[in-house]
Amino acid sequence: MPGDALSQDPAELRRRIDSSKAHPARVYDVFLGGKDHYPADRDAAAAGLAANPRGYLDVRHNRDFMRRAVTTLAEEHGIRQFLDIGTGLPTAENVHQIAQGVAPESRVVYVDNDPVVLAHARALLTSGPEGRTDYIDADLKSPAQILEQAARTLDFGRPVALCLVAVLHFVEDEEAYPIVRGLMDELPAGSRLVLSHLTEDLNPENIRAVQRTYTERGFTFVLRSRDDVARFFKEAGLEIAEPGVVPVHHWRPDHAAPVPEQPEESYLAGLDDIEKVRYRDINDVTDADINVYGALGVKD
């Protein structure tokens, strides 16, 4: 059953939406070819793309890392429960579609604090009859609220995969590490942590240029090193699974990233750079393109 968040008054929802300022979930939506964003979000994405013309590969390969990680957990680890915090706007494929494609009985709880995501959250609740999905309108910085509400759908006596995919770089150190540690402390043995994070280790000039465009728009944007990312797992007492903390395109690659259908060249010629992103084939990625680490941790 959908959570109480979906019953929020439409007028109150509209009041919460500030379309004058870019929001990370909606900027991400621009890069994924979605339509649920505002001019400020599009401007932020365009500025990021101008700073790093192949920066869309970070976004798309981050998403593909999530696909492979969830598939791995469902197929090989037997995980049937997922808590996805910082969900973002619905897109193909969402966590429940991936997990339930392997195990139809899988349960997934989505969490985000953007009212635009909430407005579209019903698209995240199209669970198959054997599984369940729910949506929680909450901030990552409110872990107690998240866990309390997630317990309506998830059984915390059984392993849960906590998914923090491209969300922690919006949180400063003094909050980020305690949040992850606190969430994992409340999950049972056998639980997993799926985490991806932007870094300046790999191609610093490109990602620092992007960082400037977003901090100018008021985003918290923390680039963390490989050791900093590994620290999330170590402080939570987790063992990092092979292949470790690696650039996302090197995390158990299966070379099966979806290839968008290609329109006529005449149509493409009429699009601006940000609109062309949705049609790009990301399988031509190189190490010089990626600024995101990904890893999977296991709680003993």
Side-chain angles (χ1 to χ4, degrees):
M1 295 291 292
D4 297 339
L6 297 191
S7 63
Q8 187 166 137
D9 179 69
E12 170 64 15
L13 201 56
R14 287 193 297 271
R15 187 194 66 76
R16 286 179 55 194
I17 296 172
D18 184 354
S19 62
S20 68
K21 296 180 181 178
H23 188 284
R26 303 194 301 259
V27 175
Y28 198 72
D29 180 66
V30 176
F31 279 111
L32 291 175
K35 298 183 181 299
D36 300 313
H37 50 262
Y38 296 97
D41 307 304
R42 184 184 174 88
D43 289 347
L49 191 66
N52 181 16
R54 285 173 67 81
Y56 63 90
L57 289 164
D58 278 333
V59 176
R60 298 268 298 282
H61 274 281
N62 176 73
R63 189 78 187 179
D64 201 54
F65 159 74
M66 186 194 76
R67 173 186 65 82
R68 299 193 309 277
V70 171
T71 300
T72 296
L73 289 173
E75 285 186 347
E76 300 179 20
H77 297 225
I79 299 296
R80 298 293 181 262
Q81 301 190 108
F82 298 82
L83 178 58
D84 181 13
I85 304 179
T87 297
L89 285 145
T91 187
E93 290 183 304
N94 300 298
V95 170
H96 75 278
Q97 293 165 317
I98 301 166
Q100 292 180 357
V102 176
E105 70 274 21
S106 297
R107 296 184 172 201
V108 179
V109 172
Y110 295 104
V111 183
D112 209 296
N113 70 332
D114 180 6
V116 175
V117 178
L118 173 58
H120 294 273
R122 284 182 176 81
L124 296 169
L125 301 175
T126 54
S127 174
E130 298 175 53
R132 286 183 65 185
T133 60
D134 197 1
Y135 180 87
I136 299 171
D137 178 30
D139 194 291
L140 173 62
K141 297 176 182 180
S142 303
Q145 175 192 355
I146 290 170
L147 291 167
E148 179 184 359
Q149 295 188 32
R152 297 179 306 203
T153 302
L154 304 179
D155 175 2
F156 287 123
R158 298 168 50 226
V160 175
L162 172 63
C163 301
L164 296 172
V165 178
V167 63
L168 288 167
H169 42 249
F170 300 117
V171 185
E172 298 286 1
D173 283 356
E174 61 270 19
E175 291 184 290
Y177 290 102
I179 286 170
V180 176
R181 184 171 63 249
L183 286 166
M184 291 305 305
D185 281 349
E186 297 302 315
L187 300 182
S191 292
R192 270 58 171 178
L193 172 62
V194 176
L195 188 151
S196 65
H197 201 294
L198 283 168
T199 183
E200 60 183 348
D201 286 357
L202 305 173
N203 301 289
E205 185 175 344
N206 288 348
I207 195 63
R208 286 172 187 159
V210 173
Q211 182 187 39
R212 285 192 296 273
T213 69
Y214 291 143
T215 54
E216 287 168 359
R217 288 165 171 78
F219 289 7
T220 297
F221 206 85
V222 183
L223 302 172
R224 293 188 171 98
S225 69
R226 184 181 182 279
D227 286 346
D228 292 336
V229 173
R231 179 183 161 195
F232 284 110
F233 296 88
K234 293 175 182 175
E235 288 197 1
L238 307 180
E239 180 180 351
I240 301 175
E242 291 295 331
V245 179
V246 297
V248 284
H249 63 308
H250 288 314
W251 195 91
R252 301 188 63 162
D254 61 6
H255 309 290
V259 179
E261 289 188 21
Q262 296 301 302
E264 296 290 336
E265 283 295 329
S266 57
Y267 175 78
L268 276 176
L271 301 180
D272 62 24
D273 288 342
I274 200 68
E275 291 170 327
K276 291 177 181 176
V277 163
R278 75 182 65 181
Y279 300 110
R280 301 294 191 199
D281 179 359
I282 67 171
N283 291 290
D284 66 343
V285 65
T286 71
D287 289 350
D289 295 319
I290 297 299
N291 301 282
V292 186
Y293 282 130
L296 169 65
V298 181
K299 181 174 181 177
D300 292 331

